Amino acid sequence: MSRQVETFPWLGGQKLDQILQVFQTYNKLMDKMLNLQQAVREHFVQLTATQMLNLSLHEEKQAQAVFKEKENIEQLMSQVTGLLWPEAMGSLMSPRILLSRDNGSDAGGSGVETLSFRRPNRLGPRLRDHRATFVHHIMSNRGVDISQFFHSSFQDYESYQRDKYHEDTNTLGFLNLATSENRLCLDLMTERLCQSDMNHMEETLLQYPDWSGHPFLREEVAQFLTYYCKAPAPLDPQNVVVLNGCCAVFSALAMVLCDPGEAFLIPSPFYYGLAFSSLLYANIELILVDLESKITGGTTQPFQLTVDKMEQTLQKAQAQGKKVRGLVLINPQNPLGDVYSRPSVKEYLDFAKRNHLHVIVDEIYMLSVFDESVTFHSVLSMDSLPDPIRTHVIWGTSKDFGISGFRFGALYTHNKEVASAMGTFGYLHSSSGITQYKLSRLLQDREWIDKVYLPTNHFRLRAAHAYVTETLKQLNVPFLHRGSGLYIWINLKAYLDPCTFEEELRLHHRFLDSKLMLTRGASYLCKEPGWFRLVFAESPLRLKVAMYRFRQVLLEQKQEWVEKQLEDAMKEEPSASAPEPPELWRP
């Protein structure tokens, strides 16, 4: 049950009457468009009905042309009508409303916060009625939910795809420091993928594969994970399932482990792709274990995950009647960059075993730990897992090898029944045979990986990270220094006045106006406004241009504050001098 309030904190405190006023405006516009569409339809019906009487061959062709024109006009008007609703939603709702970060309590706000497609009750019926006026005959409510969620989450990415920066042909295009892709070693990867051993073709690669993945690839994945995860014993290829991406693996795993309406625990902030994946097919809830930047008695660093926090969240969820089936961990963490220590991993797994929970561990960044002082410990490296049949590991090549376009993700599970059920999803989500062959050749080339690719990749990640962090220090922007992943979690609270999610969205739009893409904390369901994720795994030239735009946005933001404070001071005390800009703080 959602909290009944007159304002919505994750909308920066917008009042209900303000939101409904905007909806009323869109309602009127929608009514006019629908009336116009109906009038045009009736006109064409009457026109063609008259013309179809006693037609010659020439006249019949003209009538068919009228029919075709009618279809074109109706299609155009439907497109305009369809655009109005996402536009209204996009101007009002952050993903926190579309995902419904509900606290599950009517009073006091003591319930757990969950992630689902359900909206706050005060808006639900009105939104449903509004949708029904123009899309119920086209899509199901579920289809509308999925469409709204997708476009609200990826509309910036779609703008970027239409207007990408290019050094020669489009220097005013978007620079993307939002999408976590490693673009630092494309030269190495392109060279390796063009070598002769990759150019192989046989009949089996052109036919339907084993839905769990070609046996030759599953064998290579098992050997690869045995080696790089430092498994104490060789991993079994029969426990490997290959699909077209790690999110596809997670989505399928959510369906295999949960019934609709059941839930996983997940520390927040977290990668928003898992939210989309959990809701798209499985329609499960994600119960948020909120992490805080403030260091308290039970923590030693910002956003630290503790067993106590998970215990408290689980108990609240169970008290509300929720059926929690598992715990989701990302290690190295996205967007924080935390690398869990071996004792911490053991504590999390023990917690899950005590509570009979599955554990899904996403280790997609395991080879992207570039700080030599930081050691990654895979779950698969443990001599004895607390609950092996409920422990499932996800890995893919998109991040560590910078080949997200290959669409490859792998699951390793000791549970044969889960592996068998997961294999059936290859019917919908398999990678092509040619892709699987190239990946098998890549993963078995351990000499090239160890002596060429990984050393070069880590060196370039360190250099890019050093450049960005030095710029952040010059701007006095706090950040988490973690030495892993392709991104930095930065604190821009000092540029929000007041520090709300609404102001966070305004700053986000200011970056977009300067053709710079970052990802704001609300997209990761962060409890605190003001945090952004900045991807640094970009070529030196583009990274330099991007950080210049970043600096300019912050300077413009600060200048506006100075001017506003000056105006306010002159209104109150005409003789007073302009105040100093607000000081930035560092934790």
Side-chain angles (χ1 to χ4, degrees):
M1 191 181 306
S2 303
R3 180 170 41 187
Q4 302 293 319
V5 292
E6 290 297 329
T7 62
F8 300 93
W10 48 89
L11 280 175
Q14 289 189 53
K15 294 183 178 179
L16 184 61
D17 58 356
Q18 293 175 325
I19 295 175
L20 296 183
Q21 183 178 4
V22 177
F23 274 113
Q24 289 170 359
T25 301
Y26 274 93
N27 269 323
K28 294 178 181 178
L29 184 56
M30 285 300 308
D31 288 341
K32 292 183 181 298
M33 280 297 304
L34 291 168
N35 290 337
L36 177 60
Q37 188 174 14
Q38 182 63 26
V40 171
R41 183 181 294 113
E42 291 176 355
H43 169 72
F44 274 104
V45 168
Q46 294 176 359
L47 177 64
T48 53
T50 302
Q51 290 181 338
M52 290 300 291
L53 298 175
N54 301 319
L55 295 179
S56 64
L57 179 61
H58 175 70
E59 290 171 332
E60 185 175 348
K61 290 183 178 180
Q62 287 183 324
Q64 291 174 351
V66 171
F67 270 119
K68 183 64 176 177
E69 188 64 23
K70 167 183 173 290
E71 292 176 358
N72 292 339
I73 293 177
E74 283 198 339
Q75 182 180 9
L76 178 61
M77 295 182 70
S78 295
Q79 290 173 351
V80 173
T81 302
L83 285 173
L84 291 175
W85 173 254
E87 196 66 31
M89 296 297 293
S91 65
L92 286 172
M93 296 188 176
S94 73
R96 298 174 73 88
I97 264 197
L98 288 174
L99 296 174
S100 185
R101 183 182 175 121
D102 297 337
N103 77 341
S105 177
D106 284 333
S110 60
V112 296
E113 292 190 297
T114 62
L115 195 60
S116 68
F117 273 137
R118 292 194 296 274
R119 302 176 180 82
N121 292 340
R122 296 295 293 272
L123 284 178
R126 184 174 296 267
L127 295 183
R128 290 288 183 186
D129 294 344
H130 184 92
R131 269 206 315 269
T133 62
F134 65 97
V135 297
H136 76 278
H137 61 289
I138 299 175
M139 290 195 298
S140 66
N141 288 332
R142 178 173 57 182
V144 173
D145 283 337
I146 292 171
S147 178
Q148 290 169 3
F149 185 17
F150 177 81
H151 289 294
S152 69
S153 300
F154 297 99
Q155 60 184 347
D156 298 343
Y157 183 76
E158 291 173 338
S159 299
Y160 158 73
Q161 287 290 338
R162 293 191 297 267
D163 186 18
K164 289 184 180 181
Y165 174 92
H166 189 276
E167 291 83 349
D168 301 320
T169 61
N170 190 19
T171 57
L172 298 180
F174 276 101
L175 284 159
N176 186 357
L177 302 187
T179 305
S180 185
E181 286 186 304
N182 187 346
R183 303 181 185 94
L184 290 172
C185 290
L186 294 177
D187 56 336
L188 294 180
M189 192 56 61
T190 301
E191 180 183 4
R192 180 64 189 90
L193 293 174
C194 288
Q195 291 181 9
S196 59
D197 65 319
M198 293 288 177
N199 300 323
H200 174 76
M201 189 61 62
E202 58 185 69
E203 290 183 1
T204 57
L205 300 181
L206 302 178
Q207 298 169 345
Y208 291 126
D210 182 325
W211 298 129
S212 295
H214 276 293
F216 62 77
L217 178 57
R218 285 188 284 138
E219 177 70 34
E220 290 302 335
V221 170
Q223 293 183 18
F224 181 91
L225 295 179
T226 299
Y227 178 77
Y228 287 102
C229 293
K230 298 180 172 58
L235 299 178
D236 186 353
Q238 297 300 315
N239 295 340
V240 175
V241 178
V242 173
L243 299 179
N244 60 343
C246 288
C247 281
V249 173
F250 180 79
S251 180
L253 198 53
M255 293 191 70
V256 167
L257 301 182
C258 294
D259 287 322
E262 294 181 341
F264 287 149
L265 294 180
I266 187 165
S268 170
F270 68 95
Y271 169 56
Y272 58 82
L274 297 184
F276 188 70
S277 303
S278 65
L279 299 172
L280 186 60
Y281 293 150
N283 196 22
I284 67 167
E285 290 188 0
L286 297 179
I287 297 177
L288 310 181
V289 182
D290 281 316
L291 308 181
E292 300 177 353
S293 62
K294 184 178 180 180
I295 298 176
T296 61
T299 59
T300 59
Q301 64 183 35
F303 297 103
Q304 184 174 349
L305 176 63
T306 65
V307 171
D308 285 344
K309 291 179 181 178
M310 293 191 289
E311 291 276 12
Q312 293 171 12
T313 305
L314 178 61
Q315 290 172 8
K316 289 179 181 178
Q318 291 174 338
Q320 295 170 23
K322 297 184 182 297
K323 189 170 184 179
V324 181
R325 296 299 305 272
L327 167 67
V328 181
L329 299 173
I330 307 173
N331 184 31
Q333 216 275 353
N334 180 10
L336 303 177
D338 286 335
V339 178
Y340 298 137
S341 66
R342 188 184 297 274
S344 294
V345 172
K346 180 66 164 54
E347 288 180 3
Y348 304 153
L349 296 180
D350 286 339
F351 157 79
K353 182 180 180 180
R354 286 195 305 273
N355 293 281
H356 310 289
L357 301 178
H358 289 272
V359 181
I360 301 172
V361 188
D362 183 347
E363 297 186 350
I364 194 171
Y365 291 98
M366 73 173 186
L367 297 181
S368 297
V369 179
F370 54 86
D371 188 329
E372 295 177 350
S373 66
V374 178
T375 302
F376 170 76
H377 301 282
S378 171
V379 166
L380 297 176
S381 70
M382 300 181 67
D383 292 328
S384 177
L385 288 169
D387 193 355
I389 65 170
R390 289 192 177 95
T391 304
H392 320 283
V393 178
I394 298 173
W395 180 78
T397 53
S398 294
K399 313 303 181 183
D400 290 338
F401 288 97
I403 49 175
S404 53
F406 262 52
R407 309 312 305 131
F408 162 78
L411 169 73
Y412 190 86
T413 176
H414 292 286
N415 191 315
K416 299 290 186 182
E417 289 74 19
V418 169
S420 176
M422 285 289 294
T424 63
F425 285 88
Y427 186 78
L428 299 175
H429 295 288
S430 63
S431 297
S432 74
I434 297 172
T435 296
Q436 293 191 44
Y437 177 81
K438 290 179 181 292
L439 282 168
S440 70
R441 298 297 300 173
L442 178 67
L443 297 182
Q444 71 182 234
D445 193 354
R446 215 162 291 162
E447 181 177 3
W448 178 80
I449 293 173
D450 287 343
K451 295 183 178 180
V452 178
Y453 180 78
L454 287 181
T456 305
N457 186 44
H458 290 167
F459 174 81
R460 293 178 182 179
L461 285 171
R462 282 194 295 271
H465 182 270
Y467 173 76
V468 171
T469 54
E470 182 59 33
T471 303
L472 295 174
K473 291 175 183 177
Q474 292 172 6
L475 294 170
N476 201 22
V477 172
F479 59 92
L480 299 189
H481 193 296
R482 294 294 182 263
S484 71
L486 314 177
Y487 41 78
I488 305 174
W489 190 238
I490 65 175
N491 184 343
L492 296 180
K493 290 183 178 183
Y495 290 91
L496 307 185
D497 184 23
C499 189
T500 64
F501 284 106
E502 183 179 37
E503 290 301 311
E504 178 185 278
L505 181 59
R506 292 183 191 277
L507 181 57
H508 174 72
H509 285 160
R510 186 154 208 159
F511 284 123
L512 292 177
D513 291 341
S514 296
K515 296 296 184 72
L516 177 63
M517 290 177 59
L518 305 179
T519 313
R520 63 194 189 99
S523 297
Y524 300 108
L525 278 295
C526 184
K527 187 177 182 179
E528 306 172 13
W531 292 89
F532 285 73
R533 191 190 74 171
L534 186 156
V535 175
F536 60 84
E538 182 57 274
S539 67
L541 174 60
R542 294 191 178 196
L543 194 58
K544 184 176 181 179
V545 177
M547 293 309 294
Y548 173 80
R549 294 182 185 181
F550 177 83
R551 180 192 297 267
Q552 291 303 114
V553 169
L554 296 189
L555 291 177
E556 291 171 6
Q557 184 90 337
K558 184 187 296 185
Q559 182 62 31
E560 278 194 8
W561 278 7
V562 173
E563 294 173 357
K564 183 178 182 299
Q565 290 175 345
L566 179 59
E567 292 176 1
D568 294 343
M570 292 179 65
K571 291 177 182 177
E572 296 176 4
E573 299 179 26
S575 61
S577 59
E580 293 293 325
E583 290 293 328
L584 302 183
W585 60 273
R586 180 176 298 279

